[in-house]
Amino acid sequence: MTITLDSLEPALSVRQVLTLERVLAGEPEVVAGASHLDRPVRWVHVAEAADVGVMLSGGEMVLTTGVLLAGDEDKQAEYVRSLHRAEAAAVVLGLGRAFPAAPDVMRRAAERCGLPMVVLHRPFPFAELTEEVQSRLVRRKFAAVSLSEAVRTELTALITAGAPLQRLLDEVARHSACPVVVTNLAHRVLGTAGERPAVDDVLRDWERIARQAGGTEGDGWIRAELGGRGERWGRIVLCGYRGDTATGRLLADRAAEALVLHRMLAGGAVCSWEEQSAQSLLTDLVSGVVPARQLLPRARAAGLPVNRRTFVPLVVRDGDPARLERLLRLLGLPGLVAELADGATAVLLSLPRDQDAGALAAHFATRLRAETGPDHAVVAAAEPRVAWDDVPTGLREAQHVADAVADSSVLLDLPPVVRLKDVHLRGLIRLLRDDPHVQSFAERELDGLLCETEGDLLSVLRTYLASGRNKSRTAQLHHVSRPALYRRLEAIQVRLGVDLDDFEQAASVHIALLAHDAQQQ
């Protein structure tokens, strides 16, 4: 899409022209069409002929003394009708010898046509008004073109440098000084930028607002379509842009160009933008940095049903996000999928409250394990939540459960959906690993080994306790003789000051070791 100087709309309305200092010197008075003063003025033109409309192309403010119209009411009426047909912005009549007062015929015709009509009560050189308005329009148009090229250059540089979508949107929001939203054709939000409170205000009731603003541009809502080769796949919206419409439309068009190019260079996968949106939302939920209530507008705008729902937080180990998305669509389960760190993928299901959340989660996990095999996907879950504010805690709990399933050899023995109760002590330790008391306990119990640099006593202890204190199995796994293992176990007991044959002391050391290992991950 190409923006040229001639295609830019003016930055002055009829109302703004009438407030110019030079115009005020002529004592202007609006005598008709007062409700249409926000019409844009594209140019200023002096014309006296009754068929003036044939000389106009639309958007002109026409100046006249009426000298060729005086005494002929038919010509006066036709003059106004001709301006209306040519879509003039307004007509300004300088009172004087031809018309000492506003002629009723012209005033009535202008009111019927909705054409603003202004009379100047004091003699006024039309050349001064023409010069003032033309110079302002030209300056603003060239300023808009300069801004357009600056935006294009900056966005192109970001794309060339491999910047992500969010960086581009941040730059557009900086120039527009208003919230920026990118959606697909179903109004699902793919990305946002701008001041967070302002963005949240826009997203709070996004679907209704987006559909309302879909037909016309008003109140600063400026849209540009995203697509190419005759196919549309989304749009970018400047929400509440406070500058003139022409500059806002130019900014939106430049941003659209950049986003289309960004998508082309990324292989045309608009779904990756949806994945980035979901990842940002779920990452913020898991981290707890942003309160859940503040994230609710983003969740709703991302297409997640949130009213009167049951939320099921899941974390899948070694799960392909694309596969999980396809499976959700296949099963008809509303939800968001996002890849987290360390090979974990979060899945947040949003189910009607009259459905069995546990059964649906189990069905999802069973289908996933049937596709990937039980050794490849572990579906960890927290208990369903009915309050949105509880979702972050649920996601973190599911993540802890997934982390706790560290030994792939036990996957076959686990249910399709693993919960905290299924991982027993290891799960509890994972939940508490960041507690300072637990950290102090682990360091205190293992102090004699944590600082040791010679041998593998800590590894031997880990194997010995994990095998149920089976000395033969421990010796076999460490490829040492039984006497050599006895010497190492004796060294461990001396350093820790414990008797590993005592169940309570051994349990205490085992818990401390689990806590230590959890803290290292």
Side-chain angles (χ1 to χ4, degrees):
M1 104 190 24
T2 302
I3 305 296
T4 65
L5 178 61
D6 290 337
S7 69
L8 290 173
E9 291 185 6
L12 292 176
S13 66
V14 175
R15 189 187 309 278
Q16 290 171 319
V17 171
L18 296 181
T19 62
L20 297 178
E21 186 175 350
R22 290 189 180 184
V23 179
L24 291 175
E27 297 183 6
E29 178 189 359
V30 179
V31 297
S35 60
H36 300 279
L37 295 181
D38 290 321
R39 285 182 174 180
V41 175
R42 189 181 61 82
W43 210 243
V44 177
H45 188 68
V46 180
E48 302 286 359
D51 58 349
V52 61
V54 299
M55 297 180 285
L56 306 179
S57 57
E60 294 90 350
M61 173 177 276
V62 177
L63 311 180
T64 182
T65 62
V67 66
L68 299 180
L69 305 175
D72 191 332
E73 292 187 349
D74 290 340
K75 284 186 177 180
Q76 294 169 22
E78 177 55 27
Y79 185 86
V80 172
R81 289 194 294 268
S82 179
L83 294 177
H84 171 63
R85 289 192 297 270
E87 299 182 347
V91 58
V92 178
L93 175 64
L95 301 181
R97 286 177 297 176
F99 291 103
D104 288 339
V105 172
M106 293 182 68
R107 183 181 56 78
R108 288 196 299 268
E111 193 65 49
R112 283 194 299 270
C113 294
L115 176 70
M117 180 174 175
V118 181
V119 296
L120 300 175
H121 288 279
R122 294 176 61 87
F124 184 84
F126 284 168
E128 291 188 9
L129 174 56
T130 302
E131 178 186 7
E132 176 76 10
V133 175
Q134 311 300 49
S135 63
R136 284 176 179 263
L137 290 176
V138 170
R139 285 199 304 270
R140 294 196 181 197
K141 285 183 178 180
F142 277 107
V145 172
S146 177
L147 172 64
S148 168
E149 291 309 309
V151 171
R152 169 185 280 164
T153 300
E154 291 174 11
L155 294 181
T156 302
L158 288 173
I159 294 172
T160 304
L165 170 65
Q166 187 61 53
R167 183 68 185 87
L168 269 65
L169 296 183
D170 289 341
E171 190 67 17
V172 176
R174 184 178 70 83
H175 281 288
S176 63
C178 70
V180 175
V181 178
V182 175
T183 76
N184 61 16
L185 295 182
H187 302 290
R188 180 173 176 179
V189 173
L190 307 180
T192 64
E195 294 293 333
R196 195 73 253 168
V199 172
D200 288 344
D201 286 343
V202 169
L203 297 184
R204 211 170 304 281
D205 196 11
W206 170 252
E207 186 170 350
R208 179 185 64 80
I209 294 175
R211 294 187 186 281
Q212 269 188 352
T216 59
E217 289 183 349
D219 297 327
W221 283 70
I222 299 175
R223 304 175 316 282
E225 301 297 329
L226 304 177
R229 299 179 180 177
E231 178 186 4
R232 292 189 303 119
W233 44 266
R235 59 179 57 89
I236 182 169
V237 187
L238 307 186
C239 308
Y241 180 71
R242 296 307 176 195
D244 66 274
T245 303
T247 304
R249 188 175 294 121
L250 185 149
L251 279 171
D253 287 342
R254 286 291 181 250
E257 289 178 357
L259 295 186
V260 170
L261 177 60
H262 184 278
R263 183 193 177 199
M264 290 173 57
L265 294 178
V270 69
C271 62
S272 67
W273 289 4
E274 296 178 348
E275 292 167 3
Q276 290 175 34
S277 176
Q279 183 174 23
S280 173
L281 173 62
L282 292 185
T283 300
D284 285 347
L285 279 170
V286 171
S287 69
V289 173
V290 182
R293 188 161 299 278
Q294 292 183 21
L295 297 173
L296 188 58
R298 287 170 57 188
R300 186 183 287 111
L304 186 72
V306 295
N307 295 329
R308 298 187 59 78
R309 310 291 287 190
T310 297
F311 302 102
V312 183
L314 306 174
V315 171
V316 182
R317 273 287 176 196
D318 301 322
D320 175 26
R323 180 193 294 274
L324 298 177
E325 284 271 15
R326 289 195 299 270
L327 185 55
L328 287 183
R329 289 195 296 269
L330 179 65
L331 299 178
L333 297 176
L336 295 178
V337 176
E339 188 172 7
L340 304 177
D342 302 325
T345 302
V347 180
L348 179 60
L349 301 181
S350 175
L351 307 173
R353 291 188 179 177
D354 59 353
Q355 293 186 350
D356 188 335
L360 289 174
H363 182 51
F364 168 78
T366 300
R367 286 292 298 268
L368 179 62
R369 293 184 72 172
E371 290 185 12
T372 62
D375 294 336
H376 291 86
V378 174
V379 179
E383 292 302 316
R385 263 64 175 174
V386 295
W388 174 257
D389 287 348
D390 295 335
V391 169
T393 303
L395 283 168
R396 287 193 289 273
E397 180 182 318
Q399 191 173 32
H400 283 307
V401 173
D403 290 343
V405 187
D407 185 358
S408 60
S409 65
V410 302
L411 294 183
L412 290 171
D413 299 326
L414 293 174
V417 178
V418 185
R419 291 187 167 83
L420 198 56
K421 64 182 180 62
D422 299 311
V423 291
H424 308 293
L425 178 61
R426 188 180 298 272
L428 175 64
I429 294 299
R430 289 278 178 168
L431 280 176
L432 299 177
R433 64 180 178 179
D434 294 327
D435 188 299
H437 295 91
V438 174
Q439 295 172 356
S440 298
F441 169 75
E443 292 179 5
R444 184 172 61 252
E445 289 289 299
L446 301 175
D447 182 57
L449 293 182
L450 294 180
C451 59
E452 70 100 15
T453 57
E454 47 187 72
D456 58 348
L457 296 184
L458 197 64
S459 176
V460 170
L461 175 63
R462 183 181 292 108
T463 304
Y464 178 63
L465 295 175
S467 66
R469 294 184 292 175
N470 186 318
K471 296 176 181 176
S472 298
R473 178 62 175 161
T474 302
Q476 181 183 12
L477 290 174
H478 283 269
H479 307 289
V480 297
S481 64
R482 290 281 293 264
L485 175 66
Y486 294 157
R487 288 193 296 271
R488 295 185 187 185
L489 290 176
E490 182 64 28
I492 291 171
Q493 293 183 100
V494 170
R495 292 195 178 202
L496 297 182
V498 298
D499 179 3
L500 292 179
D501 290 330
D502 181 89
F503 176 79
E504 184 173 336
Q505 294 183 52
S508 181
V509 171
H510 195 183
I511 292 171
L513 187 57
L514 289 175
H516 169 74
D517 290 346
Q519 291 159 15
Q520 305 307 307
Q521 298 178 0

